[in-house]
Amino acid sequence: METKKIEFLETYLSLYIDHQTVMAEMDKPDSAYVILDVRNAPAQIKQDQIKGAIALPAKDLAQQLDTLDKDKTYVVYDWTAGTTLGKMALFILLSAGFKAFELSSALEGWKGMHLPTEPVAQ
Amino acid sequence: METKKIEFLETYLSLYIDHQTVMAEMDKPDSAYVILDVRNAPAQIKQDQIKGAIALPAKDLAQQLDTLDKDKTYVVYDWTAGTTLGKMALFILLSAGFKAFELSSALEGWKGMHLPTEPVAQ
Amino acid sequence: METKKIEFLETYLSLYIDHQTVMAEMDKPDSAYVILDVRNAPAQIKQDQIKGAIALPAKDLAQQLDTLDKDKTYVVYDWTAGTTLGKMALFILLSAGFKAFELSSALEGWKGMHLPTEPVAQ
């Protein structure tokens, strides 16, 4: 049973990227990372987002794959950790052959660590 | 590794149903969906619930299976996404041969989208 | 598909321990349980913790394994359910041969049930 648990955790953890890694990479001028805000909520509910993120709602992602770049690594996030939207976006991206991770702890964790955000264009 | 990730996400996502699907189905007069609030907390802590939900705490579920209907599809929810109670309820229901899903984003996401709730009977 | 779901849920649930079980065990004078607060945040952000928990940030855990005891059962927790830090800690502990679980619903759920906490030493 321990082996099963360890394998499960290994696969689970391989889906995620932590905010320190993302922050360090985003500061580089030629960053390969692109942050995607995949929340489906309208702008007035979202209010703010991670600084530099591109809004690409999970519900529209499958139809917008041709706007994405296979040389980039996509980092998707939803409101909080444990929701399904980020994993749905990740499933679509990985299945289409893109490099992608979900942001650990999502927007909630990013804000909790006082990392940079910006208002969402209304 | 990507195949392992994709399979993991596929199974994970197959456990869930989103609130739009639930809302659309609940509006039908002969809805096959039954929403189960599986929180173990007492009524004064729960305060409100999803409109039309039936309170069936996860801790009591295994003893109450004979009150459920195999023709229905059960949608279980806990306070927030990522907790274990919904998945425990889901495990009990699926193992007993019921059709069941966990509600994506749980009660927190439902309220965040301003979907209908009602006070819990005290 | 149902079998795959059930197996997935079984493994997922086997990673967790609920707060009732932890509380009951912690009250015993010779408790085998040790609660580890694996949050990486500094003390002024953490503010309080589960009563009796030992602060051992997930980022330091791999280097501190020799301070742990194979006769104990470690219960790790992060801020909220569904984050990755608890599962990262669990992965490190289980891979190193320790007995360990993640606390269901994390600190948020513990506080929501009004279970005992204490200030973090600043």
Side-chain angles (χ1 to χ4, degrees):
Chain A
M1 194 60 199
E2 300 311 280
T3 309
K4 224 187 226 178
K5 288 188 195 185
I6 291 168
E7 281 175 8
F8 184 99
L9 287 165
E10 193 169 26
T11 306
Y12 178 91
L13 291 167
S14 74
L15 303 173
Y16 288 93
I17 193 165
D18 63 79
H19 34 55
Q20 291 93 331
T21 307
V22 173
M23 276 298 289
E25 187 64 29
M26 293 304 284
D27 284 344
K28 294 182 189 163
D30 58 343
S31 168
Y33 286 45
V34 176
I35 304 179
L36 295 182
D37 184 324
V38 301
R39 291 177 292 170
N40 286 329
Q44 66 268 31
I45 289 186
K46 288 196 282 193
Q47 295 206 29
D48 51 13
Q49 66 177 21
I50 289 180
K51 193 161 177 286
I54 294 170
L56 184 37
K59 65 181 167 59
D60 303 329
L61 183 57
Q63 282 76 47
Q64 305 260 339
L65 288 174
D66 55 357
T67 67
L68 302 182
D69 179 350
K70 293 241 159 128
D71 292 333
K72 298 290 185 184
T73 294
Y74 291 94
V75 177
V76 304
Y77 73 86
D78 189 12
W79 292 98
T80 64
T83 60
T84 46
L85 227 50
K87 276 177 262 309
M88 191 172 300
L90 205 53
F91 177 72
I92 294 168
L93 290 168
L94 294 176
S95 299
F98 289 95
K99 284 168 283 187
F101 295 97
E102 185 172 1
L103 179 67
S104 279
S105 300
L107 180 59
E108 183 180 49
W110 187 271
K111 287 181 171 183
M113 295 298 278
H114 308 299
L115 296 171
T117 58
E118 62 189 3
V120 168
Q122 297 289 331
Chain B
M1 194 62 199
E2 300 311 281
T3 309
K4 225 186 226 180
K5 288 187 194 185
I6 292 168
E7 281 176 6
F8 184 99
L9 287 166
E10 194 169 25
T11 306
Y12 177 91
L13 291 167
S14 74
L15 303 173
Y16 287 93
I17 192 165
D18 63 78
H19 34 55
Q20 290 93 332
T21 308
V22 173
M23 276 299 288
E25 187 65 28
M26 293 304 284
D27 284 344
K28 295 181 190 164
D30 58 343
S31 168
Y33 285 45
V34 176
I35 304 181
L36 294 182
D37 184 322
V38 300
R39 291 178 291 170
N40 286 329
Q44 67 268 33
I45 289 187
K46 287 195 284 192
Q47 295 206 27
D48 51 12
Q49 66 176 22
I50 290 180
K51 193 161 177 286
I54 294 170
L56 184 37
K59 64 181 166 61
D60 304 328
L61 183 56
Q63 282 77 45
Q64 305 260 338
L65 289 174
D66 56 356
T67 67
L68 302 182
D69 179 348
K70 292 241 160 130
D71 292 333
K72 299 291 186 182
T73 294
Y74 292 94
V75 177
V76 303
Y77 73 86
D78 190 11
W79 292 98
T80 64
T83 59
T84 46
L85 227 51
K87 276 177 263 306
M88 191 172 300
L90 205 52
F91 177 72
I92 294 168
L93 289 167
L94 294 175
S95 299
F98 290 95
K99 284 169 284 188
F101 295 97
E102 185 172 1
L103 179 67
S104 279
S105 300
L107 179 58
E108 184 181 50
W110 187 270
K111 286 183 172 182
M113 294 299 278
H114 307 300
L115 297 171
T117 58
E118 63 189 2
V120 168
Q122 298 287 333
Chain C
M1 195 60 199
E2 299 312 280
T3 308
K4 224 186 225 178
K5 288 187 195 185
I6 291 168
E7 281 175 8
F8 184 99
L9 287 165
E10 193 169 26
T11 306
Y12 177 91
L13 291 167
S14 74
L15 303 173
Y16 287 94
I17 193 165
D18 64 78
H19 34 54
Q20 290 92 333
T21 307
V22 174
M23 276 298 289
E25 188 63 28
M26 293 304 284
D27 284 345
K28 293 182 191 164
D30 58 344
S31 168
Y33 285 46
V34 177
I35 304 181
L36 295 182
D37 183 324
V38 300
R39 291 177 293 170
N40 286 328
Q44 68 267 32
I45 290 186
K46 288 195 283 191
Q47 295 207 30
D48 51 13
Q49 65 176 21
I50 289 179
K51 192 161 178 287
I54 294 170
L56 184 37
K59 65 180 165 60
D60 303 329
L61 183 57
Q63 282 77 47
Q64 305 260 338
L65 288 174
D66 55 356
T67 67
L68 303 182
D69 179 349
K70 293 240 159 130
D71 292 333
K72 299 290 186 184
T73 294
Y74 292 95
V75 177
V76 304
Y77 73 87
D78 189 12
W79 292 98
T80 64
T83 59
T84 46
L85 227 49
K87 275 175 264 308
M88 191 172 300
L90 205 52
F91 177 71
I92 294 168
L93 290 167
L94 294 176
S95 299
F98 290 95
K99 284 168 284 186
F101 295 97
E102 185 172 1
L103 179 67
S104 279
S105 300
L107 180 59
E108 184 180 48
W110 187 271
K111 286 182 172 183
M113 295 298 278
H114 307 299
L115 296 172
T117 58
E118 62 189 2
V120 168
Q122 298 286 333

